[in-house]
Amino acid sequence: LQNNLGLFRCSKNDTSIVVYLLVINYFYSIHDYSSGLVVFFSNIKENTKEFIDSYLEQMKEISDGLLKVKDRVLFFDGTKYERLPISEDVSRWDELILIKDLKDEVLSDITNFFDKNTVDFYKENGFDYKRGLIFCGPPGNGKSTFIKNLIVSLENVRFLIYKEINPRGISCSTIERFFKYANMIAPCVIILEDLDISFADPRYRQTLLNCIDGVSKLKGVLIIATTNCPENIDPALANRPSRFDRVIQFNDPTFRERCKYIKMRFKDEYTNDQIKDMAKMTDELSYAFLKELFISIKIKEKFGNKKLDNKEIEEICNKLRVHKKEVVEEIKKPKAGFSSHSFDDIFDDHNS
């Protein structure tokens, strides 16, 4: 038996050790746990194979049971898995002010993938039952919010979120185990945050290619990768449908979309003409900055006991525009293998 500790030779009388090592090896290969697993065995039957099969089946059932209801989302930082609670808030698709057709089309694409008819279609045509999408565009325009709402909406699907926070702990083998685990708990959505940064190392990028399109086939797994800088993604990933089938753009809002967002936030506080003026002032600002504009205006009005005029609103917009420029410049700086963005963005209230 090959185990992390080396090669062991066991006699017929060492059946308990054989079973112990098999179970330990199984858990290590699937979960990459750093802590050990203590298993006690008694009354070993003569039919050792049935006993081993029984225990391995129990281990799989335990593993399958790890992600139930609110614990069906796991975050992997490169060294360990962590359960993430799911917000009990009702999914707020209406607040995601994307072009409606795009939002409906992408959501339909994802939900239909897990439909039984789709499973049958892939099987009948001999296709690998997997799919890949890349969400790209400037930060603050709905990539993470879309994923947040997706997690809430797909109640019967598990999510594994990969974000390289601890680059020292990552290796090709941990990436392989991550995908192996996703395959085992399918139907599953894999989220690869900051694809261009997390897999900048050629070794890890090649491992990713092998996991997506290699000998070990993914089955019932949909991959969503995010990036703020699609130009930095290896064409071998972005330009091949069998790996990532579609690239979805999350761009800064248009004038019409800014009007819609501002009206949604301020409701009837401003006339249509005032909303249009505000939308003109916010050209090139993302949804996240539009939200910050709303918060800044409301706080100033609350403590100043008066409504802001256009000049005061424009001053806030100019400050936000400068801030956005700083954010974009920071993103474009070379990163040493990990992302500076907080994973908490997926679970906050921003349209980011």
Side-chain angles (χ1 to χ4, degrees), residues 147-288:
I147 293 171
K148 171 189 173 181
N149 284 323
L150 192 65
I151 289 173
V152 177
S153 298
L154 297 181
E155 298 179 351
N156 298 318
V157 177
R158 291 159 175 172
F159 286 77
L160 287 182
I161 302 165
Y162 178 99
K163 186 179 180 69
E164 185 185 304
I165 288 179
N166 187 355
R168 292 184 179 181
I170 198 65
S171 68
C172 294
S173 60
T174 55
I175 295 172
E176 290 169 351
R177 282 193 283 267
F178 177 83
F179 276 85
K180 185 176 182 180
Y181 185 54
N183 221 15
M184 194 191 76
I185 64 171
C188 176
V189 174
I190 289 177
I191 307 296
L192 303 178
E193 280 224 354
D194 298 320
L195 181 65
D196 54 308
I197 299 172
S198 296
F199 295 92
D201 188 308
R203 297 169 301 167
Y204 303 155
R205 189 162 60 247
Q206 185 58 51
T207 301
L208 174 63
L209 291 172
N210 293 339
C211 290
I212 294 176
D213 206 22
V215 176
S216 299
K217 304 294 185 182
L218 293 176
K219 185 177 180 180
V221 176
L222 184 143
I223 304 171
I224 298 177
T226 69
T227 177
N228 295 321
C229 305
E231 65 276 8
N232 295 337
I233 298 178
D234 188 337
L237 281 171
N239 297 339
R240 184 165 171 183
S242 64
R243 290 165 180 166
F244 287 98
D245 306 285
R246 296 187 59 189
V247 178
I248 313 298
Q249 294 284 346
F250 287 72
N251 296 318
D252 288 334
T254 63
F255 174 79
R256 183 178 179 182
E257 290 162 356
R258 294 197 301 276
C259 287
K260 187 174 180 180
Y261 183 90
I262 293 168
K263 187 170 185 177
M264 178 195 74
R265 287 298 185 191
F266 287 98
K267 303 189 185 323
D268 298 326
E269 294 182 39
Y270 292 92
T271 66
N272 287 336
D273 288 340
Q274 289 174 316
I275 288 173
K276 289 178 181 179
D277 288 340
M278 206 179 300
K280 291 175 182 177
M281 298 178 197
T282 55
D283 186 30
E284 298 182 354
L285 291 184
S286 66
Y287 286 111

Side-chain angles (χ1 to χ4, degrees), residues 63-69 71-74 158 160 181 185:
S63 175
D64 286 344
L66 284 177
L67 303 178
K68 296 288 187 182
V69 194
D71 292 332
R72 61 185 173 85
V73 182
L74 281 185
R158 291 159 175 172
L160 287 182
Y181 185 54
I185 64 171

Side-chain angles (χ1 to χ4, degrees), residues 96-109 146 246 248 256-257 260:
L96 189 62
I97 313 294
L98 292 168
I99 298 174
K100 186 180 185 302
D101 291 342
L102 174 63
K103 179 172 66 176
D104 293 345
E105 179 187 351
V106 177
L107 180 59
S108 177
D109 189 329
F146 192 102
R246 296 187 59 189
I248 313 298
R256 183 178 179 182
E257 290 162 356
K260 187 174 180 180

